[in-house]
Structure formats: C-alpha cells, structure tokens
Amino acid sequence: MRAPLSLLCLPCAGASAAAYLRWRRFLPPWVRVVPVELPGRGIRMGEAFFEDFDALVARLCAEQAEAMRGDFAIFGHSMGALLAHGVSRRLQALQRRMPRALLVSGCAAPSRRDPERFDGKEDDASLIAELRKQGGTPEEVFANAELLRITLDVLCADYRVCRSHVHRDAGQPLPLPVHAFAGREDDIAPEAMSAWVAEAGGAFTLDWFEGGHFFIRQHEAAFLAALGQRLEQLAAAETPAVAGLPRTHLEAAAMSGRGSI
C-alpha cells in the first residue's frame, strides 16, 4: 500500500481544471487528483480574472493550503507549469512545506521563456489563430459563439498573466525532483525543455511523446502511464530528493532523455 499523495493540477491558458477530473480513473488509487480551478472560469466563472502572475501565485498558495498539508506534488501544463513553478518557489521563500516533486509539461523552463511570446495576441482574430495553431480546442467551441466568447476572454486574461511573469534567478535549484514532459511536434525548443534541469535540486527526467502542444490529450494513455510511473518512483523513494545532487548527473539525465517515450 502506498501512502496517499495529493496531485495538484494547474490548467493551461484559456482552460478550466475540469479536464483533469478524468485522470482519477487512470492514475493509481493512492494518488488524489486535485484539479485547481483558477478564478474566472469553470465553477469560478463569477469571479474576476487575475492578470498578474505574482498575485495569482500568492492566491493559489493561500487557497490550496489545506491540500498542501500532507504529501503532495504539483503538476501543470503550459501556463499551468509556469504557475506550478511559481507556487513551488513561493512555498520555498515562505519556508512552507514543499511538494514531493514538480511535474511540468508543454512549457519552456522559466529561464528560457521568450518575453515577446504573447505580444500582439489580445484581439479576437489573433487569439483564435493561436487556438487553432496550438490545437486541443474542440470544433464545437469555434462553432458556438457563446462558448468561443468565454474561451477568448479567459485566454486573453491568462496571456496577461503569462506576460507579467518575470524570471528571477533564485541562485539555487528547488529542493525537489523535477519531471518534465514534452511533445516532439511542439514548437518549444528541446533545449528550452532540457533547461528545467536547472530548477531541480533532486532527480530530473524529461519524457518525450509524439504529438504537439497538447500531446497530453492526443496521447493521453501513454502520457498518463508515464506520469503514473514517475509518481510510483516518487512514492517508492524512502525520502524526498534533496538539494545537492551533482549537476553532472542531472545534465546527463536531461541530455540522454532517460525514460523517454
């Protein structure tokens, strides 16, 4: 029997956390999937959007304090990965209980983000073009004016959150393992994904999948199998990974694609 582990799941830009609910059927029973809904969408649609990265991270740390009391890990896709990293760094700064691991997918490492990535993407036409380019949005959304309006408003606010993110070199890695996941056809450079190694004070892995930015949906079964494997490895460890693992070991793991799919 494994000890229970809460997996806080943060959504990508423009999305609700409801998509993570189905993961409960496929991940090990000792993993408690906790979909983290952001203000302004889903069951929180009546709330005002956040448009500042640091303010949203602070709110998440406060709201999820109960879920972070026991053993937990944090997962995020795309913008969710950036928020997951921000939450981990804030917990570290506040000297609060840290996650057992940071799991990130479809997002360049904070140190390798393009600061101009979201410039000129505030009008409806550019936002729709971005949704089409990234894939992952059902055609039913584009065909329904009301659903499309909601999606575009959420996406625009989330892009402001991403634009407000400022990378601050902490000077030291997080005292935990980092597990990254990426799509081979995504437009994020492999080097930008491998750069997550600098954030890992414990083990680092980088798993590759067929598919684009939304490989986690395109190849969901393979992705969840890999995610489950990483969580199993985490649970099997006698103690959480700690800072101080030699950088050469981490870099070798990143470049070799250890455990890649």
Side-chain angles (χ1 to χ4, degrees), residues 149 223-224:
R149 180 72 269 152
F223 166 70
L224 289 178

Side-chain angles (χ1 to χ4, degrees), residues 89-112:
R89 282 294 184 187
R90 181 172 174 82
L91 293 175
Q92 182 185 33
L94 295 175
Q95 298 185 328
R96 281 176 49 182
R97 186 183 186 93
M98 294 294 290
R100 289 290 307 275
L102 172 63
L103 303 109
V104 295
S105 73
C107 180
S111 62
R112 298 297 300 270

Side-chain angles (χ1 to χ4, degrees), residues 5 7 72-75 88 98-103 176-179 230-231 234 240:
L5 176 80
L7 180 64
F72 70 99
I74 307 180
F75 170 86
S88 299
M98 294 294 290
R100 289 290 307 275
L102 172 63
L103 303 109
L176 45 74
V178 174
H179 301 295
R230 296 303 176 202
L231 294 174
L234 189 67

